[in-house]
Structures are given as structure tokens and as C-alpha cells.
Amino acid sequence: MKTINSGFTLLEVIIVMSILTVMIGGAMTIIFSAQQSFDEGSMTSFLESQATRVIDVMKDDISECLVMTPTPAVTCTSLSIKVPVLVSGNYWNPATGAVYWGANANQGWHITYKFVPTGVLNEAVATDRKDYNKDKDITDSFDIGEIVKYVYSADSEIAANLQETVKLCNDIMYGDINNDGANDPIFTLRDKDGNIVTSGGNRVRINIWLGGKLGAKQNPIIINTTTTILLMNPQ
């Protein structure tokens, strides 16, 4: 007796297609999640390398400097310093032992690190309306900009004395990012107990927030890097 194979029934085809749809959907979800995690990890690594690089640049100058004016002391967005300079082959006066500081009698350099705003990020009007600082609202506003190094040939920070301008880092955020009710200072002068002071401190704390965005549908990436630099020549 001959057996005739009539193929799959419509119900069997529907069941198989449903199973395949679920399997493909699950696989695509896994792939998308893995790609998103990779993108977020890459952005985080990029921002962290940016923060490390700019802090390393400033650390070399600040550790041996004489701090002039953190301005203002509590919500500080700039820091002016003098660095030791060579005068007649010496970093100090042979007669008095005093250090030759930059810009004294135009013999060296006066350096200012400054946060320069280039725009404003307003959560309420942002195209994606994201909660950037994760405080469960979208009502905050932050300055975004860059840290710039200005080198002057004299203490007066005027255009005639400006010798060099170096942009050190973009993607800097400034404002009340940690949601404590006050703008987060970038530069502060501290005493040995860690208190903010306007003079007499022996260390400088640098607090940097950097932000990056991957796309309209993805959460923004914000990282915070803080370092404290012990001054070899405190005030």
C-alpha cells in the first residue's frame, strides 16, 4: 500500500514560525543589549581617559607651584598659579634662598587653569529629555565647556601678557551635578584636614565631571574624577 506524504499542515507551519520568531527576537535582544553595553563601556573608558589626561597635565604644574587665587574659594572654576623658573641658572636666589616664582619681574610664567563654558545643557528642553544627573527629575541645567590653560608672562591676566592658550579637555560639566544644593567646585584649595580655605592651604583638589551621549534612545554617560595634589611649596 502506498503512503502519500502531504507535507506540513498549516497549524504545524504556524507553530514553527512562532517558535522561530521568539528565538530570533531573543537573539536580537541579546545582540542589542551586548552592543549597548559595549558602547557604554567604550564611552566610559573614553571619558575616564580624558579625565586622567587633563589631571596628569595639571598635576605636573600644580605640585610644585605657588597657588595664587582659587576664584572663588567655594564654587571654584579657575585656579591661578606660579611655577618655579630658572633665573641665571638657578631656581632660587643664592643670596636669600627664596624661590624664583614665575612672572616675578617678568622672569617666568603665571598659569591659569579655567573652566570656559561653551553651552548649556537644560534637561527640560533637551531633545531627549534625559535625567543627566539621575536625581529623578528633568529640571536641571548645567554648563558644558572645556578646561583651558592660559600662560602669561606677568601676573596681570591681560591680552598683552598672554603667551599661550591650550585647550586641555572638552565635555566638562559644571553645576549641581551631585544634587547637594550647590554647584560642584572644580578647583579648591584645602588645608591638611581637607577643609576648603582661601589661603594657607597645602593641597589642591580637582573635581571633574565629564558627560557623553551615545544616542537619543540611550542614557547619557557621566563620570566623576577627583584627585588631591599635595603642594610642595604651600603658602
Side-chain angles (χ1 to χ4, degrees):
M1 183 175 181
K2 184 183 291 185
T3 300
I4 299 175
N5 186 355
S6 60
F8 296 106
T9 66
L10 179 60
L11 179 60
E12 289 173 329
V13 171
I14 292 174
I15 292 173
V16 171
M17 292 298 293
S18 298
I19 294 173
L20 286 174
T21 300
V22 171
M23 292 177 63
I24 293 172
M28 292 301 295
T29 300
I30 293 172
I31 292 172
F32 176 78
S33 178
Q35 181 64 50
Q36 185 175 14
S37 296
F38 176 80
D39 292 342
E40 291 177 354
S42 297
M43 175 61 76
T44 300
S45 295
F46 171 75
L47 294 174
E48 289 175 345
S49 66
Q50 285 274 86
T52 300
R53 182 182 61 82
V54 69
I55 285 176
D56 285 346
V57 170
M58 292 188 288
K59 186 184 297 184
D60 289 341
D61 288 334
I62 294 173
S63 62
E64 296 185 354
C65 79
L66 180 68
V67 174
M68 294 174 61
T69 52
T71 54
V74 178
T75 57
C76 191
T77 57
S78 69
L79 177 72
S80 295
I81 63 176
K82 295 180 180 181
V83 294
V85 294
L86 278 170
V87 177
S88 301
N90 294 311
Y91 282 105
W92 58 87
N93 187 324
T96 64
V99 175
Y100 287 124
W101 293 109
N104 285 349
N106 296 335
Q107 293 170 340
W109 305 106
H110 163 130
I111 296 173
T112 293
Y113 291 106
K114 188 174 183 179
F115 170 73
V116 179
T118 57
V120 175
L121 174 63
N122 191 327
E123 291 180 341
V125 300
T127 55
D128 54 358
R129 294 175 63 81
K130 298 287 187 182
D131 180 12
Y132 275 77
N133 61 342
K134 298 180 180 179
D135 62 350
K136 299 181 181 180
D137 66 47
I138 51 171
T139 61
D140 301 301
S141 179
F142 311 103
D143 288 328
I144 55 174
E146 54 200 14
I147 290 181
V148 181
K149 176 181 179 180
Y150 298 96
V151 182
Y152 298 90
S153 60
D155 282 350
S156 180
E157 297 182 5
I158 60 176
N161 296 332
L162 183 61
Q163 301 294 308
E164 185 179 17
T165 301
V166 182
K167 294 181 180 181
L168 298 180
C169 187
N170 299 316
D171 306 315
I172 300 293
M173 297 179 64
Y174 177 71
D176 182 15
I177 304 170
N178 63 5
N179 198 36
D180 64 353
N183 289 340
D184 306 316
I186 298 176
F187 303 102
T188 48
L189 183 63
R190 307 265 176 159
D191 62 18
K192 62 181 179 61
D193 298 318
N195 300 310
I196 296 175
V197 295
T198 57
S199 62
N202 68 342
R203 59 201 68 197
V204 169
R205 182 172 296 174
I206 304 174
N207 181 47
I208 293 178
W209 294 84
L210 290 95
K213 197 167 69 168
L214 297 170
K217 295 184 179 181
Q218 292 176 276
N219 292 325
I221 306 295
I222 297 178
I223 66 127
N224 176 230
T225 298
T226 300
T227 189
T228 299
I229 304 170
L230 186 65
L231 301 176
M232 297 181 186
N233 301 287
Q235 294 172 315

